[in-house]
Amino acid sequence: MGADQEIPEGVEFDVEYVPPLHQRAMGGALLWINALDEHLWRKEILITEEILDDGRWHTKGMLGGLYLMARAAREIAAGEDASLTDAQITAALTAGAATAIVEQEELMKDVFWITEEKRAPSRAR
Protein backbone atom coordinates (compact mmCIF):
# COMPACT_ATOMS: atom_id res chain seq x y z
CA MET A 1 0.00 0.00 0.00
CA GLY A 2 1.42 3.40 -1.00
CA ALA A 3 1.95 6.19 1.51
CA ASP A 4 -1.05 8.10 0.11
CA GLN A 5 -3.32 5.09 0.79
CA GLU A 6 -2.34 4.52 4.42
CA ILE A 7 -4.54 5.60 7.32
CA PRO A 8 -2.88 8.72 8.82
CA GLU A 9 -1.49 8.68 12.37
CA GLY A 10 -4.08 9.44 15.03
CA VAL A 11 -7.08 8.44 12.92
CA GLU A 12 -9.34 6.01 14.73
CA PHE A 13 -10.90 3.31 12.58
CA ASP A 14 -13.41 1.13 14.41
CA VAL A 15 -14.22 -1.94 12.32
CA GLU A 16 -17.21 -2.70 14.56
CA TYR A 17 -19.27 -0.36 12.35
CA VAL A 18 -18.05 -1.73 9.00
CA PRO A 19 -20.54 -4.23 7.57
CA PRO A 20 -19.36 -7.51 6.01
CA LEU A 21 -18.01 -7.37 2.46
CA HIS A 22 -21.10 -8.76 0.74
CA GLN A 23 -23.41 -6.43 2.64
CA ARG A 24 -21.23 -3.47 1.61
CA ALA A 25 -21.24 -4.66 -2.00
CA MET A 26 -25.02 -5.00 -2.18
CA GLY A 27 -25.86 -1.97 -0.07
CA GLY A 28 -23.34 0.21 -1.87
CA ALA A 29 -24.62 -0.77 -5.30
CA LEU A 30 -28.19 0.02 -4.30
CA LEU A 31 -27.17 3.36 -2.80
CA TRP A 32 -25.21 4.34 -5.93
CA ILE A 33 -28.12 3.39 -8.19
CA ASN A 34 -30.50 5.37 -6.00
CA ALA A 35 -28.21 8.42 -6.10
CA LEU A 36 -27.66 8.14 -9.86
CA ASP A 37 -31.12 9.39 -10.85
CA GLU A 38 -30.85 12.57 -8.83
CA HIS A 39 -27.23 13.14 -9.90
CA LEU A 40 -28.10 12.87 -13.61
CA TRP A 41 -31.09 15.16 -13.17
CA ARG A 42 -29.17 17.82 -11.20
CA LYS A 43 -26.11 17.73 -13.45
CA GLU A 44 -28.03 17.37 -16.72
CA ILE A 45 -26.28 20.31 -18.34
CA LEU A 46 -22.87 18.63 -17.80
CA ILE A 47 -23.84 15.12 -18.90
CA THR A 48 -22.70 13.83 -22.29
CA GLU A 49 -23.90 10.73 -24.13
CA GLU A 50 -20.62 9.05 -23.19
CA ILE A 51 -21.25 9.71 -19.48
CA LEU A 52 -24.80 8.35 -19.83
CA ASP A 53 -23.51 5.24 -21.61
CA ASP A 54 -20.93 4.70 -18.86
CA GLY A 55 -23.68 5.09 -16.26
CA ARG A 56 -25.84 2.48 -17.99
CA TRP A 57 -22.92 0.07 -18.32
CA HIS A 58 -21.83 0.37 -14.68
CA THR A 59 -25.43 0.12 -13.43
CA LYS A 60 -25.90 -3.09 -15.41
CA GLY A 61 -22.64 -4.38 -13.95
CA MET A 62 -23.73 -3.62 -10.38
CA LEU A 63 -27.11 -5.26 -11.00
CA GLY A 64 -25.34 -8.30 -12.46
CA GLY A 65 -23.28 -8.58 -9.29
CA LEU A 66 -26.43 -8.27 -7.18
CA TYR A 67 -28.10 -10.96 -9.25
CA LEU A 68 -25.21 -13.37 -8.68
CA MET A 69 -25.25 -12.77 -4.93
CA ALA A 70 -29.06 -13.10 -4.74
CA ARG A 71 -28.95 -16.30 -6.79
CA ALA A 72 -26.32 -17.74 -4.46
CA ALA A 73 -28.40 -16.77 -1.40
CA ARG A 74 -31.45 -18.43 -2.92
CA GLU A 75 -29.42 -21.59 -3.55
CA ILE A 76 -28.18 -21.60 0.04
CA ALA A 77 -31.76 -21.26 1.26
CA ALA A 78 -32.81 -24.19 -0.95
CA GLY A 79 -30.57 -26.49 1.07
CA GLU A 80 -30.61 -30.03 -0.29
CA ASP A 81 -32.70 -28.94 -3.28
CA ALA A 82 -30.02 -26.50 -4.50
CA SER A 83 -29.12 -26.83 -8.17
CA LEU A 84 -25.63 -25.35 -7.71
CA THR A 85 -22.68 -27.01 -6.02
CA ASP A 86 -21.00 -25.44 -3.01
CA ALA A 87 -18.13 -24.36 -5.26
CA GLN A 88 -20.54 -22.69 -7.68
CA ILE A 89 -22.34 -20.91 -4.85
CA THR A 90 -19.00 -19.67 -3.49
CA ALA A 91 -17.98 -18.50 -6.96
CA ALA A 92 -21.29 -16.67 -7.42
CA LEU A 93 -20.94 -14.89 -4.06
CA THR A 94 -17.33 -13.95 -4.72
CA ALA A 95 -17.81 -12.85 -8.32
CA GLY A 96 -21.02 -11.01 -7.48
CA ALA A 97 -19.43 -9.01 -4.68
CA ALA A 98 -16.33 -8.24 -6.73
CA THR A 99 -18.37 -7.12 -9.72
CA ALA A 100 -20.65 -4.90 -7.64
CA ILE A 101 -17.68 -3.27 -5.88
CA VAL A 102 -15.63 -2.68 -9.04
CA GLU A 103 -18.61 -1.23 -10.89
CA GLN A 104 -19.33 1.13 -7.97
CA GLU A 105 -15.79 2.47 -8.19
CA GLU A 106 -15.99 2.85 -11.95
CA LEU A 107 -19.40 4.55 -11.76
CA MET A 108 -17.98 7.07 -9.32
CA LYS A 109 -15.01 7.84 -11.60
CA ASP A 110 -16.88 7.87 -14.91
CA VAL A 111 -20.24 9.42 -13.98
CA PHE A 112 -20.02 11.28 -10.66
CA TRP A 113 -16.59 12.89 -11.07
CA ILE A 114 -17.28 15.08 -14.08
CA THR A 115 -14.04 16.81 -14.99
CA GLU A 116 -13.75 19.82 -17.25
CA GLU A 117 -12.46 17.56 -20.05
CA LYS A 118 -15.41 15.14 -19.79
CA ARG A 119 -18.30 17.57 -19.34
CA ALA A 120 -20.66 18.66 -22.06
CA PRO A 121 -19.67 21.88 -23.84
CA SER A 122 -21.22 25.09 -22.54
CA ARG A 123 -24.38 26.04 -24.36
CA ALA A 124 -24.56 29.56 -25.77
CA ARG A 125 -27.61 31.52 -24.68
Side-chain angles (χ1 to χ4, degrees):
M1 186 166 26
D4 60 332
Q5 295 178 337
E6 293 178 12
I7 297 174
E9 295 271 340
V11 172
E12 295 290 325
F13 188 74
D14 189 357
V15 294
E16 177 182 346
Y17 301 106
V18 177
L21 178 69
H22 296 90
Q23 184 179 349
R24 291 193 320 251
M26 288 190 100
L30 294 173
L31 287 171
W32 278 110
I33 292 168
N34 188 44
L36 185 59
D37 181 52
E38 183 175 345
H39 171 73
L40 293 175
W41 182 76
R42 287 180 181 252
K43 307 289 188 202
E44 179 182 14
I45 196 163
L46 303 175
I47 304 295
T48 63
E49 283 301 317
E50 182 179 354
I51 292 172
L52 276 177
D53 289 343
D54 288 343
R56 285 185 203 102
W57 178 260
H58 298 310
T59 299
K60 287 178 182 180
M62 286 186 290
L63 292 173
L66 294 180
Y67 170 78
L68 285 173
M69 287 189 285
R71 171 79 194 272
R74 193 174 81 206
E75 290 291 317
I76 292 168
E80 296 293 322
D81 296 330
S83 61
L84 298 179
T85 66
D86 288 350
Q88 290 171 321
I89 291 171
T90 301
L93 283 171
T94 304
T99 301
I101 290 168
V102 167
E103 293 298 341
Q104 288 173 49
E105 293 172 358
E106 294 303 312
L107 180 77
M108 179 180 54
K109 287 188 261 180
D110 292 342
V111 180
F112 280 80
W113 291 349
I114 303 174
T115 62
E116 201 60 39
E117 296 82 35
K118 286 180 13 181
R119 65 169 280 178
S122 298
R123 298 180 184 146
R125 294 181 183 222

CSV table of all heavy atoms in Angstrom, one decimal, residues 58-79:
chain,number,residue,atom,x,y,z
A,58,HIS,N,-22.2,0.7,-16.1
A,58,HIS,CA,-21.8,0.4,-14.7
A,58,HIS,C,-23.0,0.0,-13.8
A,58,HIS,O,-22.9,-0.9,-12.9
A,58,HIS,CB,-21.1,1.6,-14.0
A,58,HIS,CG,-19.8,1.9,-14.7
A,58,HIS,ND1,-18.9,1.0,-15.0
A,58,HIS,CD2,-19.4,3.1,-15.2
A,58,HIS,CE1,-17.9,1.5,-15.7
A,58,HIS,NE2,-18.1,2.8,-15.8
A,59,THR,N,-24.2,0.5,-14.1
A,59,THR,CA,-25.4,0.1,-13.4
A,59,THR,C,-25.8,-1.3,-13.8
A,59,THR,O,-26.1,-2.1,-12.9
A,59,THR,CB,-26.6,1.0,-13.8
A,59,THR,OG1,-26.3,2.4,-13.4
A,59,THR,CG2,-27.9,0.6,-13.1
A,60,LYS,N,-25.7,-1.7,-15.0
A,60,LYS,CA,-25.9,-3.1,-15.4
A,60,LYS,C,-24.9,-4.0,-14.7
A,60,LYS,O,-25.3,-5.1,-14.3
A,60,LYS,CB,-25.8,-3.3,-16.9
A,60,LYS,CG,-27.0,-2.7,-17.7
A,60,LYS,CD,-26.8,-2.8,-19.2
A,60,LYS,CE,-27.9,-2.2,-19.9
A,60,LYS,NZ,-27.8,-2.4,-21.4
A,61,GLY,N,-23.6,-3.6,-14.6
A,61,GLY,CA,-22.6,-4.4,-13.9
A,61,GLY,C,-23.0,-4.6,-12.5
A,61,GLY,O,-22.8,-5.7,-11.9
A,62,MET,N,-23.4,-3.5,-11.8
A,62,MET,CA,-23.7,-3.6,-10.4
A,62,MET,C,-24.9,-4.5,-10.2
A,62,MET,O,-25.0,-5.4,-9.3
A,62,MET,CB,-24.1,-2.2,-9.8
A,62,MET,CG,-22.8,-1.4,-9.6
A,62,MET,SD,-23.2,0.2,-8.7
A,62,MET,CE,-24.1,1.1,-9.9
A,63,LEU,N,-25.9,-4.4,-11.1
A,63,LEU,CA,-27.1,-5.3,-11.0
A,63,LEU,C,-26.8,-6.7,-11.3
A,63,LEU,O,-27.3,-7.6,-10.7
A,63,LEU,CB,-28.2,-4.8,-11.9
A,63,LEU,CG,-28.8,-3.4,-11.5
A,63,LEU,CD1,-29.8,-2.9,-12.6
A,63,LEU,CD2,-29.5,-3.5,-10.2
A,64,GLY,N,-25.8,-6.9,-12.2
A,64,GLY,CA,-25.3,-8.3,-12.5
A,64,GLY,C,-24.7,-8.9,-11.2
A,64,GLY,O,-24.9,-10.1,-10.9
A,65,GLY,N,-23.9,-8.1,-10.5
A,65,GLY,CA,-23.3,-8.6,-9.3
A,65,GLY,C,-24.3,-8.9,-8.2
A,65,GLY,O,-24.2,-9.9,-7.5
A,66,LEU,N,-25.3,-8.0,-8.1
A,66,LEU,CA,-26.4,-8.3,-7.2
A,66,LEU,C,-27.2,-9.5,-7.5
A,66,LEU,O,-27.6,-10.3,-6.6
A,66,LEU,CB,-27.4,-7.1,-7.1
A,66,LEU,CG,-26.8,-5.8,-6.6
A,66,LEU,CD1,-27.9,-4.7,-6.7
A,66,LEU,CD2,-26.3,-5.9,-5.2
A,67,TYR,N,-27.4,-9.8,-8.8
A,67,TYR,CA,-28.1,-11.0,-9.3
A,67,TYR,C,-27.3,-12.2,-8.8
A,67,TYR,O,-27.9,-13.2,-8.3
A,67,TYR,CB,-28.3,-11.0,-10.8
A,67,TYR,CG,-28.8,-12.3,-11.3
A,67,TYR,CD1,-30.2,-12.6,-11.1
A,67,TYR,CD2,-28.0,-13.2,-11.8
A,67,TYR,CE1,-30.6,-13.9,-11.5
A,67,TYR,CE2,-28.4,-14.5,-12.2
A,67,TYR,CZ,-29.7,-14.8,-12.1
A,67,TYR,OH,-30.2,-16.0,-12.5
A,68,LEU,N,-26.0,-12.2,-9.1
A,68,LEU,CA,-25.2,-13.4,-8.7
A,68,LEU,C,-25.3,-13.6,-7.2
A,68,LEU,O,-25.4,-14.8,-6.7
A,68,LEU,CB,-23.8,-13.2,-9.1
A,68,LEU,CG,-23.4,-13.3,-10.6
A,68,LEU,CD1,-22.0,-12.9,-10.8
A,68,LEU,CD2,-23.7,-14.7,-11.0
A,69,MET,N,-25.2,-12.6,-6.4
A,69,MET,CA,-25.3,-12.8,-4.9
A,69,MET,C,-26.6,-13.2,-4.5
A,69,MET,O,-26.8,-14.1,-3.6
A,69,MET,CB,-24.9,-11.5,-4.2
A,69,MET,CG,-23.4,-11.2,-4.3
A,69,MET,SD,-22.9,-9.8,-3.2
A,69,MET,CE,-23.5,-8.4,-4.1
A,70,ALA,N,-27.7,-12.7,-5.1
A,70,ALA,CA,-29.1,-13.1,-4.7
A,70,ALA,C,-29.3,-14.5,-5.2
A,70,ALA,O,-29.9,-15.3,-4.4
A,70,ALA,CB,-30.1,-12.2,-5.4
A,71,ARG,N,-28.8,-14.9,-6.3
A,71,ARG,CA,-28.9,-16.3,-6.8
A,71,ARG,C,-28.2,-17.3,-5.8
A,71,ARG,O,-28.8,-18.3,-5.5
A,71,ARG,CB,-28.4,-16.4,-8.2
A,71,ARG,CG,-28.3,-17.8,-8.8
A,71,ARG,CD,-29.6,-18.4,-9.2
A,71,ARG,NE,-29.6,-19.8,-9.5
A,71,ARG,CZ,-29.2,-20.4,-10.6
A,71,ARG,NH1,-28.8,-19.6,-11.6
A,71,ARG,NH2,-29.2,-21.7,-10.7
A,72,ALA,N,-27.1,-16.9,-5.4
A,72,ALA,CA,-26.3,-17.7,-4.5
A,72,ALA,C,-27.1,-17.8,-3.1
A,72,ALA,O,-27.2,-18.9,-2.6
A,72,ALA,CB,-24.9,-17.2,-4.2
A,73,ALA,N,-27.6,-16.8,-2.7
A,73,ALA,CA,-28.4,-16.8,-1.4
A,73,ALA,C,-29.6,-17.7,-1.5
A,73,ALA,O,-30.0,-18.4,-0.6
A,73,ALA,CB,-28.8,-15.4,-1.0
A,74,ARG,N,-30.3,-17.6,-2.7
A,74,ARG,CA,-31.5,-18.4,-2.9
A,74,ARG,C,-31.1,-19.9,-2.9
A,74,ARG,O,-31.8,-20.8,-2.4
A,74,ARG,CB,-32.1,-18.0,-4.2
A,74,ARG,CG,-33.5,-18.6,-4.4
A,74,ARG,CD,-34.2,-18.2,-5.6
A,74,ARG,NE,-33.7,-18.9,-6.7
A,74,ARG,CZ,-33.7,-18.5,-8.0
A,74,ARG,NH1,-34.1,-17.3,-8.3
A,74,ARG,NH2,-33.2,-19.3,-8.9
A,75,GLU,N,-29.9,-20.2,-3.5
A,75,GLU,CA,-29.4,-21.6,-3.5
A,75,GLU,C,-29.1,-22.1,-2.1
A,75,GLU,O,-29.3,-23.2,-1.8
A,75,GLU,CB,-28.2,-21.7,-4.5
A,75,GLU,CG,-28.5,-21.5,-5.9
A,75,GLU,CD,-29.3,-22.7,-6.5
A,75,GLU,OE1,-29.0,-23.9,-6.2
A,75,GLU,OE2,-30.3,-22.4,-7.3
A,76,ILE,N,-28.5,-21.2,-1.3
A,76,ILE,CA,-28.2,-21.6,0.0
A,76,ILE,C,-29.5,-21.9,0.8
A,76,ILE,O,-29.6,-22.9,1.5
A,76,ILE,CB,-27.4,-20.5,0.7
A,76,ILE,CG1,-26.0,-20.4,0.1
A,76,ILE,CG2,-27.3,-20.8,2.2
A,76,ILE,CD1,-25.2,-19.2,0.5
A,77,ALA,N,-30.5,-21.1,0.6
A,77,ALA,CA,-31.8,-21.3,1.3
A,77,ALA,C,-32.5,-22.5,0.8
A,77,ALA,O,-33.2,-23.1,1.6
A,77,ALA,CB,-32.7,-20.1,1.0
A,78,ALA,N,-32.2,-23.0,-0.4
A,78,ALA,CA,-32.8,-24.2,-1.0
A,78,ALA,C,-32.3,-25.4,-0.3
A,78,ALA,O,-32.9,-26.5,-0.3
A,78,ALA,CB,-32.6,-24.3,-2.5
A,79,GLY,N,-31.1,-25.3,0.4
A,79,GLY,CA,-30.6,-26.5,1.1
A,79,GLY,C,-30.3,-27.7,0.2
A,79,GLY,O,-29.6,-27.5,-0.8
